[in-house]
Short mmCIF file of all heavy atoms in Angstrom, two decimals:
data_model
loop_
_atom_site.label_atom_id
_atom_site.label_comp_id
_atom_site.label_asym_id
_atom_site.label_seq_id
_atom_site.Cartn_x
_atom_site.Cartn_y
_atom_site.Cartn_z
N LYS A 40 -46.32 68.68 74.76
CA LYS A 40 -47.35 68.84 73.73
C LYS A 40 -47.62 67.56 72.96
O LYS A 40 -48.76 67.23 72.68
CB LYS A 40 -46.94 69.95 72.77
CG LYS A 40 -48.06 70.41 71.85
CD LYS A 40 -47.58 71.42 70.83
CE LYS A 40 -46.96 72.63 71.50
NZ LYS A 40 -46.53 73.64 70.49
N PHE A 41 -46.56 66.84 72.62
CA PHE A 41 -46.72 65.62 71.84
C PHE A 41 -46.12 64.43 72.59
O PHE A 41 -45.12 64.56 73.29
CB PHE A 41 -46.03 65.74 70.47
CG PHE A 41 -46.65 66.75 69.57
CD1 PHE A 41 -46.02 67.96 69.32
CD2 PHE A 41 -47.88 66.51 68.97
CE1 PHE A 41 -46.59 68.91 68.49
CE2 PHE A 41 -48.46 67.46 68.14
CZ PHE A 41 -47.81 68.66 67.89
N ILE A 42 -46.75 63.28 72.43
CA ILE A 42 -46.26 62.05 73.04
C ILE A 42 -46.13 60.99 71.96
O ILE A 42 -47.04 60.79 71.16
CB ILE A 42 -47.20 61.57 74.17
CG1 ILE A 42 -46.75 60.22 74.74
CG2 ILE A 42 -48.63 61.48 73.70
CD1 ILE A 42 -47.54 59.77 75.95
N THR A 43 -44.96 60.38 71.88
CA THR A 43 -44.76 59.29 70.93
C THR A 43 -44.80 57.97 71.69
O THR A 43 -44.23 57.84 72.77
CB THR A 43 -43.40 59.41 70.20
OG1 THR A 43 -42.33 59.27 71.13
CG2 THR A 43 -43.28 60.75 69.49
N VAL A 44 -45.49 57.00 71.11
CA VAL A 44 -45.61 55.68 71.73
C VAL A 44 -45.11 54.64 70.73
O VAL A 44 -45.69 54.47 69.65
CB VAL A 44 -47.07 55.36 72.13
CG1 VAL A 44 -47.15 53.97 72.74
CG2 VAL A 44 -47.60 56.41 73.10
N THR A 45 -44.01 53.99 71.07
CA THR A 45 -43.47 52.92 70.24
C THR A 45 -43.79 51.58 70.88
O THR A 45 -43.42 51.34 72.04
CB THR A 45 -41.95 53.06 70.08
OG1 THR A 45 -41.65 54.30 69.45
CG2 THR A 45 -41.39 51.93 69.24
N THR A 46 -44.49 50.75 70.17
CA THR A 46 -44.80 49.40 70.65
C THR A 46 -43.74 48.45 70.12
O THR A 46 -43.66 48.19 68.91
CB THR A 46 -46.20 48.95 70.19
OG1 THR A 46 -47.18 49.86 70.68
CG2 THR A 46 -46.51 47.56 70.72
N ASN A 47 -42.90 47.99 71.03
CA ASN A 47 -41.85 47.04 70.69
C ASN A 47 -42.31 45.62 71.03
O ASN A 47 -43.29 45.43 71.75
CB ASN A 47 -40.58 47.36 71.48
CG ASN A 47 -40.13 48.78 71.33
OD1 ASN A 47 -39.62 49.17 70.30
ND2 ASN A 47 -40.33 49.59 72.39
N HIS A 48 -41.54 44.65 70.57
CA HIS A 48 -41.85 43.24 70.87
C HIS A 48 -40.57 42.51 71.24
O HIS A 48 -39.52 42.72 70.63
CB HIS A 48 -42.52 42.56 69.68
CG HIS A 48 -43.84 43.16 69.32
ND1 HIS A 48 -45.03 42.75 69.89
CD2 HIS A 48 -44.16 44.17 68.47
CE1 HIS A 48 -46.02 43.48 69.41
NE2 HIS A 48 -45.52 44.35 68.55
N TRP A 49 -40.69 41.66 72.25
CA TRP A 49 -39.53 40.86 72.66
C TRP A 49 -39.15 39.88 71.56
O TRP A 49 -40.01 39.38 70.83
CB TRP A 49 -39.84 40.08 73.94
CG TRP A 49 -40.17 40.90 75.13
CD1 TRP A 49 -41.34 40.90 75.84
CD2 TRP A 49 -39.31 41.83 75.80
NE1 TRP A 49 -41.27 41.76 76.90
CE2 TRP A 49 -40.03 42.36 76.90
CE3 TRP A 49 -38.00 42.27 75.59
CZ2 TRP A 49 -39.50 43.30 77.77
CZ3 TRP A 49 -37.47 43.22 76.45
CH2 TRP A 49 -38.20 43.72 77.53
N ASN A 50 -37.87 39.61 71.48
CA ASN A 50 -37.36 38.57 70.58
C ASN A 50 -37.57 37.22 71.27
O ASN A 50 -36.79 36.82 72.13
CB ASN A 50 -35.87 38.81 70.30
CG ASN A 50 -35.28 37.73 69.43
OD1 ASN A 50 -35.99 36.87 68.89
ND2 ASN A 50 -33.96 37.75 69.27
N MET A 51 -38.61 36.54 70.89
CA MET A 51 -38.97 35.28 71.56
C MET A 51 -38.04 34.13 71.18
O MET A 51 -38.10 33.06 71.78
CB MET A 51 -40.42 34.91 71.21
CG MET A 51 -41.44 36.00 71.57
SD MET A 51 -41.43 36.45 73.32
CE MET A 51 -42.25 35.01 74.02
N ASP A 52 -37.14 34.37 70.22
CA ASP A 52 -36.19 33.33 69.82
C ASP A 52 -34.86 33.45 70.55
O ASP A 52 -33.97 32.61 70.36
CB ASP A 52 -35.95 33.40 68.30
CG ASP A 52 -37.19 33.07 67.50
OD1 ASP A 52 -37.96 32.19 67.96
OD2 ASP A 52 -37.39 33.67 66.44
N LYS A 53 -34.71 34.48 71.36
CA LYS A 53 -33.46 34.67 72.09
C LYS A 53 -33.36 33.61 73.20
O LYS A 53 -34.17 33.58 74.12
CB LYS A 53 -33.39 36.07 72.68
CG LYS A 53 -32.08 36.39 73.39
CD LYS A 53 -32.04 37.84 73.85
CE LYS A 53 -30.81 38.13 74.68
NZ LYS A 53 -29.54 37.95 73.92
N GLU A 54 -32.35 32.76 73.11
CA GLU A 54 -32.24 31.63 74.03
C GLU A 54 -31.77 32.05 75.42
O GLU A 54 -32.17 31.46 76.43
CB GLU A 54 -31.29 30.58 73.44
CG GLU A 54 -31.82 29.93 72.16
CD GLU A 54 -30.91 28.86 71.62
OE1 GLU A 54 -29.83 28.66 72.23
OE2 GLU A 54 -31.25 28.23 70.60
N ASP A 55 -30.89 33.03 75.51
CA ASP A 55 -30.35 33.45 76.80
C ASP A 55 -31.04 34.71 77.32
O ASP A 55 -30.41 35.59 77.88
CB ASP A 55 -28.84 33.66 76.71
CG ASP A 55 -28.46 34.68 75.64
OD1 ASP A 55 -29.32 34.97 74.76
OD2 ASP A 55 -27.32 35.19 75.67
N PHE A 56 -32.34 34.79 77.11
CA PHE A 56 -33.13 35.96 77.50
C PHE A 56 -33.17 36.08 79.02
O PHE A 56 -33.62 35.18 79.72
CB PHE A 56 -34.55 35.83 76.95
CG PHE A 56 -35.39 37.08 77.10
CD1 PHE A 56 -35.68 37.86 76.00
CD2 PHE A 56 -35.90 37.46 78.33
CE1 PHE A 56 -36.47 39.00 76.13
CE2 PHE A 56 -36.67 38.58 78.47
CZ PHE A 56 -36.96 39.36 77.37
N LYS A 57 -32.69 37.21 79.52
CA LYS A 57 -32.74 37.51 80.94
C LYS A 57 -33.24 38.93 81.12
O LYS A 57 -32.57 39.88 80.74
CB LYS A 57 -31.36 37.35 81.58
CG LYS A 57 -30.83 35.93 81.57
CD LYS A 57 -29.47 35.85 82.24
CE LYS A 57 -28.92 34.42 82.21
NZ LYS A 57 -27.57 34.35 82.82
N LEU A 58 -34.43 39.07 81.68
CA LEU A 58 -35.04 40.39 81.82
C LEU A 58 -34.17 41.32 82.64
O LEU A 58 -34.08 42.52 82.35
CB LEU A 58 -36.42 40.26 82.46
CG LEU A 58 -37.26 41.56 82.48
CD1 LEU A 58 -37.53 42.05 81.08
CD2 LEU A 58 -38.57 41.32 83.23
N SER A 59 -33.50 40.79 83.65
CA SER A 59 -32.64 41.62 84.49
C SER A 59 -31.49 42.21 83.70
O SER A 59 -31.09 43.37 83.91
CB SER A 59 -32.11 40.82 85.68
OG SER A 59 -31.35 39.70 85.23
N GLU A 60 -30.93 41.42 82.76
CA GLU A 60 -29.83 41.92 81.94
C GLU A 60 -30.32 42.95 80.93
O GLU A 60 -29.63 43.93 80.65
CB GLU A 60 -29.12 40.76 81.25
CG GLU A 60 -28.38 39.85 82.22
CD GLU A 60 -27.57 38.77 81.51
OE1 GLU A 60 -27.58 38.76 80.25
OE2 GLU A 60 -26.96 37.95 82.20
N TRP A 61 -31.51 42.70 80.37
CA TRP A 61 -32.09 43.71 79.47
C TRP A 61 -32.30 45.03 80.21
O TRP A 61 -31.96 46.10 79.70
CB TRP A 61 -33.43 43.24 78.91
CG TRP A 61 -34.19 44.38 78.27
CD1 TRP A 61 -34.01 44.86 77.01
CD2 TRP A 61 -35.18 45.19 78.89
NE1 TRP A 61 -34.85 45.94 76.79
CE2 TRP A 61 -35.58 46.17 77.92
CE3 TRP A 61 -35.79 45.21 80.14
CZ2 TRP A 61 -36.55 47.14 78.19
CZ3 TRP A 61 -36.75 46.17 80.41
CH2 TRP A 61 -37.12 47.12 79.45
N LYS A 62 -32.84 44.94 81.42
CA LYS A 62 -33.12 46.14 82.18
C LYS A 62 -31.84 46.89 82.52
O LYS A 62 -31.80 48.13 82.47
CB LYS A 62 -33.88 45.80 83.46
CG LYS A 62 -34.35 47.04 84.22
CD LYS A 62 -35.18 46.67 85.43
CE LYS A 62 -35.60 47.92 86.19
NZ LYS A 62 -36.40 47.60 87.39
N ALA A 63 -30.78 46.18 82.83
CA ALA A 63 -29.50 46.82 83.14
C ALA A 63 -28.97 47.58 81.92
O ALA A 63 -28.49 48.72 82.03
CB ALA A 63 -28.48 45.78 83.59
N ALA A 64 -29.08 46.97 80.74
CA ALA A 64 -28.63 47.63 79.52
C ALA A 64 -29.53 48.81 79.18
O ALA A 64 -29.06 49.89 78.78
CB ALA A 64 -28.61 46.63 78.36
N ALA A 65 -30.85 48.63 79.33
CA ALA A 65 -31.80 49.71 79.06
C ALA A 65 -31.55 50.89 80.00
O ALA A 65 -31.65 52.06 79.60
CB ALA A 65 -33.22 49.20 79.20
N LYS A 66 -31.23 50.58 81.25
CA LYS A 66 -30.97 51.64 82.22
C LYS A 66 -29.69 52.40 81.90
O LYS A 66 -29.61 53.62 82.06
CB LYS A 66 -30.88 51.04 83.63
CG LYS A 66 -30.86 52.08 84.73
CD LYS A 66 -30.97 51.44 86.11
CE LYS A 66 -30.98 52.51 87.20
NZ LYS A 66 -31.10 51.89 88.55
N GLU A 67 -28.67 51.68 81.42
CA GLU A 67 -27.43 52.34 81.02
C GLU A 67 -27.68 53.30 79.87
O GLU A 67 -27.19 54.43 79.86
CB GLU A 67 -26.38 51.29 80.62
CG GLU A 67 -25.03 51.90 80.26
CD GLU A 67 -23.96 50.86 79.94
OE1 GLU A 67 -24.22 49.66 80.17
OE2 GLU A 67 -22.88 51.26 79.46
#
Side-chain angles (χ1 to χ4, degrees):
K40 193 185 302 182
F41 294 107
I42 175 173
T43 65
V44 179
T45 299
T46 301
N47 307 287
H48 297 272
W49 299 118
N50 177 9
M51 303 302 286
D52 295 324
K53 184 175 174 63
E54 295 182 358
D55 57 343
F56 189 106
K57 295 180 181 178
L58 188 61
S59 60
E60 292 185 2
W61 166 82
K62 187 176 179 181
K66 190 172 181 179
E67 183 177 351

